[in-house]
């Protein structure tokens, strides 16, 4: 079986190349006046493959399959998409991770840009997004090239910490929370005279939120997928030929069937100062470096049937977070121990994360249901890029679900 090589981080460099910019374009996109990139949160390639009858328009226009990158979670994937780089380069290394604090380290949630939890203290002033992630985005490159930037997103997102950290470029906002509003915003971007180019980033969250609540293949989630397909069919009919529509996802999702309560296993917390991440990928930050052997032994012993437990050094040696060697700031955001759930297992914390722990659908780890996302395009020009098993490049898809 072939191994997927391209990732979400390859899309915007390819868009830039299609606009005539002097940058490598791993995906050969056909040049056009305008480009709209619509991200459907939670749209997995495996989900589409199993439900072509529900989403024939989307399934029929898949140009290639990409990997989200590790971990397959929204904050990381959106940063990788916008910056054209893996998280080892941009530093948004998971759903939550540790950042320096006067008391040592503090839990930080980049999706909400808050401390301690998804509903904790707003971190935008004390941990400025432009400092936390200082690299330029590919949208800034497009703007510098004369491409007009637009956003078709929920209004709150334009001011969010993650948008400031990852997308960075000013642009025209077309507020959109429903599919009808997304459609109107995209058509407004594409409807203009002249030869000047526009790029729009658009976003729709409901497939992800419904999958989390009810499960990724629940009747509720599949109804949302059907609605998205009907929306896409109508939009593709009405979109002018001068605009290319690209659609993708930030990750897929698995249906959890085994719940491991980390809060109820006291042995797992010996020597551990902080547990971060999410139910499919956990980062452990230790009381002191000397605790590493005991913590590895405890977690490997308790969770051997349900998770892969490795040191930070092993994860970096194997390029889990991307081929770019991280600097010390980003390295220290990664837990000294990284724990990745296997199969349909989730590592929950009901006392500290009640909402997240109650979810039916989860993502983050190495399963193809989580990692593989489609690239759907209104214009031809993208060809799958694959390599033989065992010979994947640095951006290749590796399912790491075994102990080494």
């Amino acid at each position: 079986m072939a191994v997927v090589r391209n990732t979400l981080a390859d899309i915007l460099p390819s868009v830039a190349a299609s606009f005539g910019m002097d940058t490598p374009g791993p995906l050969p996109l056909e040049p056009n006046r305008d480009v709209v990139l619509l991200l459907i949160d939670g749209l997995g390639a495996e989900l589409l493959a199993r439900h072509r009858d529900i989403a024939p328009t989307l399934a029929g226009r898949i140009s290639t399959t990409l990997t989200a990158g590790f971990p397959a979670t929204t904050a990381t994937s959106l940063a990788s998409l916008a910056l054209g780089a893996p998280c080892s380069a941009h530093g948004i290394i998971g759903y939550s991770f540790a950042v320096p604090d006067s008391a040592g380290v503090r839990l930080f949630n980049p999706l909400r840009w808050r401390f301690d939890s998804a509903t904790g203290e707003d971190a935008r002033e004390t941990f400025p997004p432009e400092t936390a992630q200082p690299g330029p985005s590919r949208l800034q490159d497009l703007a510098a090239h004369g491409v007009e930037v637009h956003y078709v997103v929920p209004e709150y997102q334009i001011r969010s910490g993650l948008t400031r950290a990852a997308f960075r470029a000013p642009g025209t906002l077309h507020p959109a929370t429903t599919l009808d509003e997304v459609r109107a915003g995209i058509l407004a971007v594409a409807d203009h005279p002249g030869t000047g180019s526009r790029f729009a980033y658009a976003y729709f969250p409901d497939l992800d939120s419904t999958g989390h609540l009810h499960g990724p293949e629940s009747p509720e989630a599949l109804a949302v997928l059907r609605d998205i397909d009907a929306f896409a069919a109508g939009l593709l009919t009405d979109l002018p030929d001068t605009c290319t529509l690209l659609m993708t996802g930030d990750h897929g999702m698995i249906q959890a069937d085994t719940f491991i309560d980390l809060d109820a296993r006291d042995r797992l917390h010996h020597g551990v100062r902080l547990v971060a991440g999410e139910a499919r990928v956990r980062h452990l930050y230790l009381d002191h470096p000397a605790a590493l052997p005991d913590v590895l032994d405890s977690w490997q012993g308790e969770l051997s049937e349900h998770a892969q437990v490795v040191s930070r050094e092993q994860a970096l040696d194997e390029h889990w977070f991307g081929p770019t060697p991280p600097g010390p700031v980003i390295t220290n955001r990664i837990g000294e121990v990284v724990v990745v759930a296997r199969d349909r297992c989730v590592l929950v914390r009901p006392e500290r994360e009640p909402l997240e722990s109650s979810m039916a659908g989860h993502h983050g780890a190495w399963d193809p249901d989580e990692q593989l996302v489609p690239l759907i395009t209104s214009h031809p020009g993208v060809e799958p890029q694959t390599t033989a098993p065992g010979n994947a490049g640095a951006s290749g898809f590796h399912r790491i679900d075994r102990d080494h």
Side-chain angles (χ1 to χ4, degrees):
M1 182 175 65
V3 178
V4 179
R5 291 182 58 88
N6 292 119
T7 74
L8 283 174
D10 292 322
I11 295 178
L12 283 184
S14 301
V15 169
S18 78
F19 279 130
M21 295 175 60
D22 185 16
T23 182
L27 302 166
L29 301 181
E30 184 178 276
N32 210 347
R33 185 189 68 179
D34 306 318
V35 176
V36 173
L37 173 59
L38 171 57
L39 187 132
I40 303 294
D41 200 324
L43 183 63
E46 299 290 280
L47 179 72
L48 279 183
R50 289 193 293 271
H51 296 285
R52 295 179 64 93
D53 57 327
I54 290 175
T57 300
L58 299 177
R61 287 185 173 267
I62 296 175
S63 296
T64 191
T65 300
L66 309 173
T67 61
F70 181 81
T73 195
T74 297
T76 301
S77 291
L78 294 190
S80 297
L81 177 74
L83 295 157
C87 68
S88 59
H90 61 66
I92 308 299
I93 58 99
Y95 175 74
S96 69
F97 50 87
V99 295
D101 179 74
S102 58
V105 293
R106 189 176 186 182
L107 186 73
F108 171 68
N109 181 301
L111 186 62
R112 306 299 178 192
W113 215 265
R114 294 181 177 274
F115 288 126
D116 304 325
S117 72
T119 59
E121 176 189 336
D122 192 324
R124 285 178 291 183
E125 288 191 12
T126 53
F127 192 50
E130 296 81 4
T131 302
Q133 196 301 109
S137 79
R138 303 290 71 81
L139 280 79
Q140 288 175 300
D141 295 342
L142 293 174
H145 188 68
V147 177
E148 193 176 299
V149 174
H150 291 249
Y151 295 93
V152 184
V153 299
E155 187 169 4
Y156 78 89
Q157 285 191 357
I158 207 70
R159 302 182 301 274
S160 75
L162 182 60
T163 296
R164 286 169 52 187
F167 291 86
R168 304 179 78 87
T172 302
L173 172 64
H174 305 262
T177 56
T178 68
L179 285 172
D180 285 343
E181 290 169 345
V182 173
R183 170 190 167 86
I186 290 174
L187 291 177
V189 170
D191 182 18
H192 68 99
T195 58
S197 289
R198 291 180 173 182
F199 170 80
Y201 167 74
Y203 173 84
F204 184 69
D206 288 15
L207 185 62
D208 176 74
S209 57
T210 306
H212 277 307
L213 184 62
H214 299 287
E217 294 181 80
S218 63
E220 295 87 349
L222 294 181
V224 175
L225 181 62
R226 183 181 291 109
D227 289 345
I228 293 169
D229 193 74
F231 150 86
L235 181 60
L236 289 167
T237 298
D238 295 339
L239 203 65
D241 289 340
T242 50
C243 182
T244 296
L245 175 66
L246 305 174
M247 296 178 64
T248 191
D250 52 344
H251 55 73
M253 191 176 290
I254 60 102
Q255 172 82 41
D257 63 13
T258 302
F259 292 77
I260 305 296
D261 184 351
L262 300 180
D263 291 335
R265 301 194 179 203
D266 290 340
R267 182 187 175 206
L268 296 181
H269 298 275
H270 295 165
V272 176
R273 174 184 297 188
L274 184 66
V275 178
E278 57 193 307
R280 290 286 285 171
V281 179
R282 291 294 182 181
H283 293 262
L284 311 182
Y285 304 88
L286 309 186
D287 288 330
H288 48 80
L292 179 61
D294 289 340
V295 171
L296 281 172
D297 182 66
S298 296
W299 283 72
Q300 289 170 348
E302 289 257 349
L303 301 179
S304 60
E305 295 182 9
H306 303 293
Q308 184 180 11
V309 182
V310 304
S311 66
R312 174 200 287 159
E313 286 71 22
Q314 179 177 335
L316 291 176
D317 286 346
E318 295 174 0
H319 305 293
W320 284 21
F321 299 92
T324 305
V329 171
I330 295 175
T331 295
N332 288 332
R333 293 178 183 177
I334 300 169
E336 286 101 324
V337 175
V338 183
V339 185
V340 184
R342 289 193 179 101
D343 302 320
R344 298 296 183 261
C345 174
V346 287
L347 310 173
V348 298
R349 306 195 69 197
E351 294 179 14
R352 296 180 180 271
E353 301 169 355
L355 176 61
E356 294 93 331
S357 298
S358 68
M359 292 175 174
H362 293 265
H363 51 81
W366 293 108
D367 194 282
D369 272 350
E370 300 160 284
Q371 279 286 333
L372 300 182
V373 295
L375 181 63
I376 297 156
T377 180
S378 61
H379 286 67
V382 180
E383 296 295 336
Q385 296 185 18
T386 59
T387 188
N391 294 307
S395 63
F397 173 60
H398 303 270
R399 182 177 175 181
I400 301 180
D401 57 0
R402 64 188 184 279
D403 290 325
H404 293 267

